[in-house]
Amino acid sequence: MRLEKCWFCSSTIYPGHGIQFVRNDAKIFRFCRSKCHKNFKMKRNPRKVKWTKAYRRLHGKDMTQDSTFEFERKRNRPQRYDRINTEKVLQAIPKISKVKATRQKDHITKRLSVGRVNRRTEDRRELEQSISLVKAPSVLKEDATLTLPKQKVTVSYAQTENTPMEE
Amino acid sequence: MAARFLSKSSSGSSLLGALGTSLVGVGSVARQTTSKLTYSDIFFQQQRTFVQMGTKLKVVDNSGAKRVMCIQALKSKKGAKLGDIIIGSVKEAQPRGKVKKGDVVYGVVVRAAMQRGRCDGSHVRFDDNAVVLVNKQGEPIGTRVFGPVPHELRKKKHVKILALAEHIA
């Protein structure tokens, strides 16, 4: 039994699921469900379809290079059955998948953290500029806690301010 | 949605009703040709069915024939699937070959557009319908086989064809 990857969306295909399509040049395409199969028949490029792993990896949304991927790489060399080895592998699999999951999550969090910072600065600016929509300026003047602390800035051209305008 | 397009079908066969499974006694491809079909629906509507009387198959060995029309699918009323034997009439042949046009021959279906379920639960389907000409004992007439063949043939005891094959899918 072998867990294959869907050609279109790159999800794992468990036994009993999906369709295998063999083209006349003997290339085999495996699909996890009819959604992927139908998209393939429509000749859609998975690299352009937003929900596929191929798109996500290509556009940097998901982690691409990591040492944890090396464990899953397909090796065509058959290995003689070794009970100790098998036990070690079975114990290692959940550990590796946990590490991989945390690394993937961190990658996405890091990518999205830029947006969080931007949103905070945006909110701060909106608060400073549009607070008059919420409370009248006269009220704000009376109560100091409602506004952000004002900073005193010295200006060099103080004299020109006071010159009266000439008619 | 599928039933709506069937009712507008302009193809000669009246295939209203059952869309999900094989359509008995009717042409193998239910392709609608009305103008109101959208681009995506054309690809979804094609229902793959059995190889039955009238199905034209490609011959993928060097026996001399090029195309064969199925006149009888042995062993099933519904039609032949991947790995089954059919009786066919040679419709097109190469000028100097073991088989001539108009001959009635036996053939083994090595590629079928209709998916066939395997014992592990998966399904396989190929790009076209192809056949390898065989004699009554089941031995191939030609000496070479082109293209991929399924390993369903092993269970059906067509070992010689598997031996000649380029690629086993």
Side-chain angles (χ1 to χ4, degrees):
Chain A
M1 182 188 86
R2 177 163 229 157
L3 296 179
E4 306 283 354
K5 291 277 178 195
C6 175
W7 184 84
F8 198 81
C9 64
S10 316
S11 61
T12 43
I13 306 175
Y14 285 89
H17 288 260
I19 290 186
Q20 224 181 51
F21 170 61
V22 184
R23 211 165 52 179
N24 280 348
D25 60 357
K27 186 158 158 65
I28 300 177
F29 298 88
R30 289 171 218 271
F31 305 104
C32 58
R33 54 201 198 277
S34 64
K35 175 178 182 182
C36 303
H37 190 32
K38 283 178 181 161
N39 270 298
F40 172 77
K41 282 199 269 191
M42 274 200 269
K43 299 194 180 178
R44 286 205 181 144
N45 189 354
R47 284 156 171 261
K48 290 193 173 182
V49 178
K50 296 256 169 84
W51 50 271
T52 57
K53 220 47 178 159
Y55 175 95
R56 304 205 90 220
R57 291 224 180 100
L58 186 70
H59 288 74
K61 312 279 185 190
D62 273 350
M63 201 166 61
T64 41
Q65 283 172 331
D66 196 38
S67 51
T68 46
F69 290 140
E70 299 293 318
F71 293 106
E72 271 177 77
R73 218 163 278 260
K74 182 177 179 181
R75 279 155 257 263
N76 283 320
R77 234 172 358 150
Q79 280 193 323
R80 182 162 283 160
Y81 175 71
D82 184 10
R83 202 183 82 178
I84 301 167
N85 224 359
T86 312
E87 276 179 13
K88 279 197 192 158
V89 166
L90 286 172
Q91 280 169 4
I93 288 174
K95 286 188 202 162
I96 293 169
S97 44
K98 199 161 84 117
V99 168
K100 192 163 87 149
T102 44
R103 284 191 194 174
Q104 281 176 337
K105 208 157 80 74
D106 287 341
H107 179 270
I108 293 175
T109 322
K110 202 163 81 155
R111 184 166 58 87
L112 297 175
S113 64
V114 181
R116 281 177 77 216
V117 170
N118 286 348
R119 278 195 291 275
R120 266 196 90 78
T121 50
E122 273 281 319
D123 289 344
R124 188 163 258 263
R125 193 147 42 95
E126 201 188 332
L127 186 66
E128 286 173 24
Q129 289 175 351
S130 329
I131 192 68
S132 50
L133 294 171
V134 175
K135 286 224 180 240
S138 52
V139 175
L140 289 172
K141 278 216 180 87
E142 293 167 17
D143 194 353
T145 56
L146 287 173
T147 53
L148 289 170
K150 284 216 170 84
Q151 293 165 327
K152 280 221 165 194
V153 178
T154 50
V155 176
S156 57
Y157 52 91
Q159 282 189 343
T160 48
E161 271 181 53
N162 293 328
T163 51
M165 285 180 62
E166 290 181 2
E167 288 270 334
Chain B
M1 178 177 92
R4 171 161 58 93
F5 286 110
L6 275 181
S7 62
K8 284 186 193 164
S9 163
S10 62
S11 55
S13 46
S14 54
L15 351 134
L16 304 168
L19 182 69
T21 51
S22 61
L23 308 163
V24 185
V26 189
S28 50
V29 171
R31 190 171 242 179
Q32 282 75 35
T33 51
T34 54
S35 55
K36 287 197 182 165
L37 281 175
T38 61
Y39 168 70
S40 57
D41 292 330
I42 294 170
F43 291 97
F44 296 174
Q45 290 298 329
Q46 207 165 18
Q47 276 299 324
R48 305 294 193 172
T49 51
F50 297 92
V51 169
Q52 34 186 261
M53 190 192 307
T55 308
K56 302 242 171 58
L57 299 110
K58 200 163 82 165
V59 177
V60 288
D61 56 8
N62 57 353
S63 56
K66 291 245 195 79
R67 289 195 83 79
V68 146
M69 187 177 87
C70 174
I71 50 181
Q72 184 70 269
L74 299 169
K75 286 217 168 150
S76 174
K77 215 164 54 164
K78 285 195 253 188
K81 293 190 283 195
L82 195 62
D84 292 344
I85 301 186
I86 61 164
I87 303 178
S89 152
V90 177
K91 290 292 179 190
E92 201 185 308
Q94 268 164 356
R96 276 159 285 281
K98 292 175 193 146
V99 186
K100 286 189 317 294
K101 181 173 156 196
D103 282 358
V104 171
V105 286
Y106 282 78
V108 172
V109 179
V110 296
R111 291 205 282 276
M114 185 170 98
Q115 64 250 34
R116 188 178 183 138
R118 290 200 162 153
C119 50
D120 65 351
S122 61
H123 293 271
V124 212
R125 71 172 206 95
F126 289 82
D127 211 358
D128 59 350
N129 298 317
V131 80
V132 166
L133 300 188
V134 164
N135 64 11
K136 274 225 182 67
Q137 279 73 44
E139 288 153 28
I141 298 175
T143 54
R144 280 180 71 191
V145 168
F146 304 108
V149 297
H151 52 71
E152 265 82 359
L153 298 179
R154 194 176 295 274
K155 189 140 180 247
K156 308 264 179 177
K157 310 279 183 232
H158 297 123
V159 188
K160 279 231 173 69
I161 300 176
L162 281 172
L164 296 168
E166 300 178 332
H167 188 269
I168 303 180

